[in-house]
Amino acid sequence: MNTKPSYLGLLNAIAMGERNGAELFNCWSSVTTNPEVCAVLHTVALREAEHAVAFEKRIDELGFGVMPRIDAQHDAKMTIAASATLSDRQKLEQLKLIRSPNGSGGDVFDTMFENKDIDPVTGGLLGRYIAEERDTGRLLTGCHGALCAAEGTHVSAASPSMEDLAQQVADAGRHLADLVRCIGASLTPVAAR
Ligand SMILES: [Fe+2]
């Protein structure tokens, strides 16, 4: 039996989150009427889908299988993404996809390398993933700024406050920690299935 890496729960949580992300951004890109927004959403959807497969592949290489987990908020997020009445700007805001203007305040990725056991192959994958996720944040924030400018809306007025962002980061970190805790305890080696 393979020894279960201490970071397996993190890999599983990422694989599942990215799979849901791909579904959400693909759905949204299929309903937007703005070609520039559609192009950004398509890029993000491809990244999310590739991340989901890459992390599932890494879990498989380590000798384990992905454990499906339900995200209790996913259906509500999909409803927002699919909405024909909300604008793309409103969707970006309601889905909490906007970063602080100067990128300050930290994010959920800050703590992912605190685990000193991460092997080099997984570390390489994780580093690329984090960099792409942060670039996705910049893409979506830029998209939001362009939509606000087109509407004549002040970005600062439409963007979440720093307190909101800090709360979002705390919520995301807590959610990820919960996932890691429950999934890490229940993953089963392939040989044992
Ligand atoms: Fe993602």
Side-chain angles (χ1 to χ4, degrees):
M1 179 188 294
N2 293 315
T3 303
K4 185 169 72 177
S6 58
Y7 45 88
L8 205 55
L10 172 64
L11 306 186
N12 197 85
I14 293 173
M16 293 306 303
E18 296 299 291
R19 188 185 295 178
N20 285 342
E23 184 185 2
L24 183 141
F25 285 105
N26 275 322
C27 169
W28 185 355
S29 71
S30 73
V31 296
T32 182
T33 56
N34 183 320
E36 283 87 17
V37 172
C38 185
V40 169
L41 296 176
H42 181 61
T43 296
V44 176
L46 286 173
R47 285 178 173 180
E48 300 281 281
E50 192 270 340
H51 293 160
V53 173
F55 277 89
E56 183 170 353
K57 174 171 171 273
R58 184 66 194 136
I59 290 168
D60 180 73
E61 288 168 348
L62 291 167
F64 296 83
V66 167
M67 291 289 292
R69 294 288 168 182
I70 303 294
D71 176 355
Q73 298 180 9
H74 184 59
D75 286 350
K77 290 178 182 175
M78 288 298 293
T79 299
I80 294 171
S83 171
T85 53
L86 291 171
S87 70
D88 290 317
R89 175 183 62 76
Q90 290 171 320
K91 290 180 184 182
L92 283 162
E93 291 165 7
Q94 292 191 17
L95 290 168
K96 300 180 174 29
L97 294 170
I98 307 157
R99 294 168 35 137
S100 58
N102 59 6
S104 62
D107 60 28
V108 69
F109 309 110
D110 283 345
T111 58
M112 286 190 178
F113 272 109
E114 284 183 358
N115 185 326
K116 305 295 190 293
D117 295 334
I118 294 175
D119 69 84
V121 174
T122 301
L125 174 62
L126 201 54
R128 180 172 69 81
Y129 159 73
I130 291 171
E132 280 196 348
E133 287 291 307
R134 286 175 172 158
D135 187 62
T136 289
R138 288 190 290 271
L139 272 179
L140 294 172
T141 301
C143 187
H144 178 258
L147 291 170
C148 287
E151 287 182 15
T153 309
H154 289 298
V155 174
S156 57
S159 300
S161 66
M162 289 306 293
E163 289 74 21
D164 288 339
L165 287 165
Q167 187 58 51
Q168 288 168 27
V169 170
D171 289 346
R174 202 163 36 246
H175 186 52
L176 190 56
D178 287 345
L179 281 171
V180 169
R181 200 164 37 247
C182 10
I183 294 167
S186 56
L187 283 173
T188 309
V190 168
R193 281 186 277 159

